[in-house]
Amino acid sequence: MQFRRPYNLDQADAIGAAIGGALAPGDVVLLSGDLGAGKTTLARAMLKARGLAGEAPSPTFAIVQPYAPPEVDLPIAHVDLYRIEEPGELIELGLDDYLYDGALLIEWPERLGSDGWQDALALAISGAGDARVLTATVPPAWEARWPLR
């Protein structure tokens, strides 16, 4: 299923919160878009929907920023692959381990190469400022719980 919605920055938190509220163990959310498109903003709203108090730091330098109960109600790893140069570097991150009881939010998923997750929710952000567009490729595992209509 494809979903497309224009939005502005005031609506970004609500969109991220709706998607974050629907996260389940084993989910992978891929966030793509240009630098400054709003990937981290959506990820932060998803984390806030799961109980994170305060603002989540961008994982650009840490690459993987894990969150676990009681900080959030579902273990989530926020991943930023911007600094990854080769898909082989991903092995050291152990991303699959987070999926046993939690979820992954991955910025810059194009750095995954062909080693991605077939059933991931893919969110692409285009545009800038108050003229952004969210395009979601919603996999079958998400269709019944997709929160945006």
Side-chain angles (χ1 to χ4, degrees):
M1 173 173 92
Q2 284 284 133
F3 172 86
R4 185 175 166 92
R5 173 188 277 180
Y7 73 100
N8 60 42
L9 289 177
D10 293 336
Q11 298 165 320
D13 282 345
I15 290 170
I19 296 168
L23 283 173
D27 281 342
V28 177
V29 178
L30 306 175
L31 297 140
S32 62
D34 292 337
L35 197 61
K39 299 177 294 295
T40 301
T41 299
L42 284 180
R44 285 176 173 154
M46 290 180 217
L47 289 162
K48 186 175 180 183
R50 300 315 296 224
L52 185 67
E55 187 171 303
S58 172
T60 300
F61 293 104
I63 300 177
V64 178
Q65 180 65 50
Y67 298 92
E71 190 175 29
V72 290
D73 65 355
L74 172 72
I76 298 173
H78 183 189
V79 182
D80 187 327
L81 300 179
Y82 184 75
R83 296 187 314 122
I84 297 295
E85 294 179 13
E86 298 177 14
E89 296 176 56
L90 298 168
I91 294 169
E92 297 173 21
L93 300 178
L95 298 179
D96 284 326
D97 294 343
Y98 292 100
L99 297 176
Y100 291 112
D101 62 350
L104 288 170
L105 307 178
I106 302 178
E107 297 185 37
W108 299 98
E110 53 277 359
R111 312 274 176 152
L112 290 168
S114 61
D115 297 335
W117 289 271
Q118 300 296 332
D119 56 352
L121 172 63
L123 304 176
I125 303 166
S126 58
D130 282 345
R132 295 171 197 245
V133 176
L134 175 69
T135 303
T137 302
V138 181
W142 273 83
E143 286 182 3
R145 60 189 160 112
W146 177 244
L148 305 174
R149 300 288 172 194

PDB file of all heavy atoms in Angstrom, residues 11-31:
ATOM      1  N   GLN A  11       2.481  19.824  11.898  1.00  0.00           N
ATOM      2  CA  GLN A  11       1.821  18.516  11.852  1.00  0.00           C
ATOM      3  C   GLN A  11       2.803  17.358  12.027  1.00  0.00           C
ATOM      4  O   GLN A  11       2.386  16.218  12.234  1.00  0.00           O
ATOM      5  CB  GLN A  11       1.091  18.359  10.517  1.00  0.00           C
ATOM      6  CG  GLN A  11      -0.006  19.381  10.318  1.00  0.00           C
ATOM      7  CD  GLN A  11      -0.467  19.447   8.872  1.00  0.00           C
ATOM      8  OE1 GLN A  11       0.341  19.368   7.953  1.00  0.00           O
ATOM      9  NE2 GLN A  11      -1.772  19.584   8.688  1.00  0.00           N
ATOM     10  N   ALA A  12       4.096  17.625  11.957  1.00  0.00           N
ATOM     11  CA  ALA A  12       5.106  16.560  12.012  1.00  0.00           C
ATOM     12  C   ALA A  12       5.036  15.764  13.309  1.00  0.00           C
ATOM     13  O   ALA A  12       5.151  14.536  13.291  1.00  0.00           O
ATOM     14  CB  ALA A  12       6.503  17.149  11.815  1.00  0.00           C
ATOM     15  N   ASP A  13       4.845  16.436  14.433  1.00  0.00           N
ATOM     16  CA  ASP A  13       4.781  15.716  15.711  1.00  0.00           C
ATOM     17  C   ASP A  13       3.587  14.768  15.758  1.00  0.00           C
ATOM     18  O   ASP A  13       3.707  13.648  16.245  1.00  0.00           O
ATOM     19  CB  ASP A  13       4.736  16.692  16.887  1.00  0.00           C
ATOM     20  CG  ASP A  13       6.094  17.288  17.212  1.00  0.00           C
ATOM     21  OD1 ASP A  13       7.120  16.749  16.733  1.00  0.00           O
ATOM     22  OD2 ASP A  13       6.134  18.293  17.943  1.00  0.00           O
ATOM     23  N   ALA A  14       2.449  15.213  15.263  1.00  0.00           N
ATOM     24  CA  ALA A  14       1.250  14.363  15.283  1.00  0.00           C
ATOM     25  C   ALA A  14       1.422  13.147  14.367  1.00  0.00           C
ATOM     26  O   ALA A  14       1.015  12.038  14.714  1.00  0.00           O
ATOM     27  CB  ALA A  14       0.015  15.171  14.875  1.00  0.00           C
ATOM     28  N   ILE A  15       2.019  13.353  13.209  1.00  0.00           N
ATOM     29  CA  ILE A  15       2.257  12.240  12.282  1.00  0.00           C
ATOM     30  C   ILE A  15       3.225  11.239  12.904  1.00  0.00           C
ATOM     31  O   ILE A  15       2.973  10.034  12.918  1.00  0.00           O
ATOM     32  CB  ILE A  15       2.783  12.772  10.932  1.00  0.00           C
ATOM     33  CG1 ILE A  15       1.660  13.516  10.206  1.00  0.00           C
ATOM     34  CG2 ILE A  15       3.341  11.639  10.072  1.00  0.00           C
ATOM     35  CD1 ILE A  15       2.117  14.295   8.987  1.00  0.00           C
ATOM     36  N   GLY A  16       4.340  11.736  13.443  1.00  0.00           N
ATOM     37  CA  GLY A  16       5.308  10.854  14.090  1.00  0.00           C
ATOM     38  C   GLY A  16       4.716  10.132  15.286  1.00  0.00           C
ATOM     39  O   GLY A  16       4.975   8.942  15.496  1.00  0.00           O
ATOM     40  N   ALA A  17       3.889  10.828  16.069  1.00  0.00           N
ATOM     41  CA  ALA A  17       3.262  10.206  17.240  1.00  0.00           C
ATOM     42  C   ALA A  17       2.303   9.095  16.825  1.00  0.00           C
ATOM     43  O   ALA A  17       2.256   8.039  17.463  1.00  0.00           O
ATOM     44  CB  ALA A  17       2.533  11.260  18.067  1.00  0.00           C
ATOM     45  N   ALA A  18       1.566   9.305  15.757  1.00  0.00           N
ATOM     46  CA  ALA A  18       0.628   8.280  15.286  1.00  0.00           C
ATOM     47  C   ALA A  18       1.382   7.027  14.841  1.00  0.00           C
ATOM     48  O   ALA A  18       1.009   5.903  15.199  1.00  0.00           O
ATOM     49  CB  ALA A  18      -0.225   8.833  14.148  1.00  0.00           C
ATOM     50  N   ILE A  19       2.451   7.207  14.102  1.00  0.00           N
ATOM     51  CA  ILE A  19       3.238   6.064  13.641  1.00  0.00           C
ATOM     52  C   ILE A  19       3.938   5.398  14.825  1.00  0.00           C
ATOM     53  O   ILE A  19       3.938   4.174  14.953  1.00  0.00           O
ATOM     54  CB  ILE A  19       4.248   6.492  12.560  1.00  0.00           C
ATOM     55  CG1 ILE A  19       3.488   6.997  11.322  1.00  0.00           C
ATOM     56  CG2 ILE A  19       5.186   5.339  12.198  1.00  0.00           C
ATOM     57  CD1 ILE A  19       4.349   7.709  10.297  1.00  0.00           C
ATOM     58  N   GLY A  20       4.508   6.200  15.716  1.00  0.00           N
ATOM     59  CA  GLY A  20       5.177   5.657  16.902  1.00  0.00           C
ATOM     60  C   GLY A  20       4.243   4.848  17.780  1.00  0.00           C
ATOM     61  O   GLY A  20       4.630   3.819  18.330  1.00  0.00           O
ATOM     62  N   GLY A  21       3.012   5.301  17.904  1.00  0.00           N
ATOM     63  CA  GLY A  21       2.031   4.577  18.713  1.00  0.00           C
ATOM     64  C   GLY A  21       1.674   3.218  18.143  1.00  0.00           C
ATOM     65  O   GLY A  21       1.218   2.337  18.859  1.00  0.00           O
ATOM     66  N   ALA A  22       1.883   3.041  16.837  1.00  0.00           N
ATOM     67  CA  ALA A  22       1.558   1.775  16.182  1.00  0.00           C
ATOM     68  C   ALA A  22       2.745   0.813  16.125  1.00  0.00           C
ATOM     69  O   ALA A  22       2.593  -0.325  15.682  1.00  0.00           O
ATOM     70  CB  ALA A  22       1.059   2.049  14.759  1.00  0.00           C
ATOM     71  N   LEU A  23       3.918   1.237  16.585  1.00  0.00           N
ATOM     72  CA  LEU A  23       5.104   0.372  16.552  1.00  0.00           C
ATOM     73  C   LEU A  23       4.900  -0.896  17.382  1.00  0.00           C
ATOM     74  O   LEU A  23       4.298  -0.851  18.454  1.00  0.00           O
ATOM     75  CB  LEU A  23       6.321   1.107  17.109  1.00  0.00           C
ATOM     76  CG  LEU A  23       7.009   2.118  16.223  1.00  0.00           C
ATOM     77  CD1 LEU A  23       8.088   2.859  17.017  1.00  0.00           C
ATOM     78  CD2 LEU A  23       7.615   1.456  15.004  1.00  0.00           C
ATOM     79  N   ALA A  24       5.441  -1.986  16.882  1.00  0.00           N
ATOM     80  CA  ALA A  24       5.375  -3.269  17.584  1.00  0.00           C
ATOM     81  C   ALA A  24       6.763  -3.917  17.541  1.00  0.00           C
ATOM     82  O   ALA A  24       7.591  -3.569  16.693  1.00  0.00           O
ATOM     83  CB  ALA A  24       4.344  -4.176  16.915  1.00  0.00           C
ATOM     84  N   PRO A  25       7.033  -4.863  18.442  1.00  0.00           N
ATOM     85  CA  PRO A  25       8.315  -5.564  18.398  1.00  0.00           C
ATOM     86  C   PRO A  25       8.559  -6.173  17.016  1.00  0.00           C
ATOM     87  O   PRO A  25       7.651  -6.736  16.405  1.00  0.00           O
ATOM     88  CB  PRO A  25       8.172  -6.651  19.464  1.00  0.00           C
ATOM     89  CG  PRO A  25       7.169  -6.085  20.427  1.00  0.00           C
ATOM     90  CD  PRO A  25       6.197  -5.327  19.565  1.00  0.00           C
ATOM     91  N   GLY A  26       9.785  -6.017  16.535  1.00  0.00           N
ATOM     92  CA  GLY A  26      10.153  -6.543  15.235  1.00  0.00           C
ATOM     93  C   GLY A  26      10.017  -5.550  14.092  1.00  0.00           C
ATOM     94  O   GLY A  26      10.434  -5.836  12.974  1.00  0.00           O
ATOM     95  N   ASP A  27       9.444  -4.379  14.371  1.00  0.00           N
ATOM     96  CA  ASP A  27       9.238  -3.378  13.316  1.00  0.00           C
ATOM     97  C   ASP A  27      10.528  -2.655  12.956  1.00  0.00           C
ATOM     98  O   ASP A  27      11.351  -2.357  13.819  1.00  0.00           O
ATOM     99  CB  ASP A  27       8.217  -2.317  13.745  1.00  0.00           C
ATOM    100  CG  ASP A  27       6.792  -2.785  13.629  1.00  0.00           C
ATOM    101  OD1 ASP A  27       6.525  -3.779  12.917  1.00  0.00           O
ATOM    102  OD2 ASP A  27       5.922  -2.142  14.256  1.00  0.00           O
ATOM    103  N   VAL A  28      10.652  -2.351  11.663  1.00  0.00           N
ATOM    104  CA  VAL A  28      11.726  -1.517  11.154  1.00  0.00           C
ATOM    105  C   VAL A  28      11.062  -0.375  10.395  1.00  0.00           C
ATOM    106  O   VAL A  28      10.234  -0.614   9.518  1.00  0.00           O
ATOM    107  CB  VAL A  28      12.665  -2.295  10.215  1.00  0.00           C
ATOM    108  CG1 VAL A  28      13.737  -1.366   9.634  1.00  0.00           C
ATOM    109  CG2 VAL A  28      13.307  -3.467  10.940  1.00  0.00           C
ATOM    110  N   VAL A  29      11.430   0.857  10.756  1.00  0.00           N
ATOM    111  CA  VAL A  29      10.933   2.034  10.057  1.00  0.00           C
ATOM    112  C   VAL A  29      12.132   2.705   9.392  1.00  0.00           C
ATOM    113  O   VAL A  29      13.103   3.060  10.069  1.00  0.00           O
ATOM    114  CB  VAL A  29      10.232   3.025  11.019  1.00  0.00           C
ATOM    115  CG1 VAL A  29       9.758   4.265  10.262  1.00  0.00           C
ATOM    116  CG2 VAL A  29       9.063   2.352  11.726  1.00  0.00           C
ATOM    117  N   LEU A  30      12.061   2.844   8.081  1.00  0.00           N
ATOM    118  CA  LEU A  30      13.128   3.460   7.305  1.00  0.00           C
ATOM    119  C   LEU A  30      12.734   4.892   6.987  1.00  0.00           C
ATOM    120  O   LEU A  30      11.676   5.130   6.400  1.00  0.00           O
ATOM    121  CB  LEU A  30      13.354   2.681   6.006  1.00  0.00           C
ATOM    122  CG  LEU A  30      13.602   1.179   6.153  1.00  0.00           C
ATOM    123  CD1 LEU A  30      13.679   0.522   4.787  1.00  0.00           C
ATOM    124  CD2 LEU A  30      14.853   0.918   6.965  1.00  0.00           C
ATOM    125  N   LEU A  31      13.569   5.849   7.381  1.00  0.00           N
ATOM    126  CA  LEU A  31      13.282   7.272   7.186  1.00  0.00           C
ATOM    127  C   LEU A  31      14.284   7.846   6.190  1.00  0.00           C
ATOM    128  O   LEU A  31      15.475   7.945   6.494  1.00  0.00           O
ATOM    129  CB  LEU A  31      13.401   8.014   8.517  1.00  0.00           C
ATOM    130  CG  LEU A  31      12.406   7.567   9.580  1.00  0.00           C
ATOM    131  CD1 LEU A  31      13.053   7.514  10.938  1.00  0.00           C
ATOM    132  CD2 LEU A  31      11.221   8.497   9.583  1.00  0.00           C
TER     133      LEU A  31
END
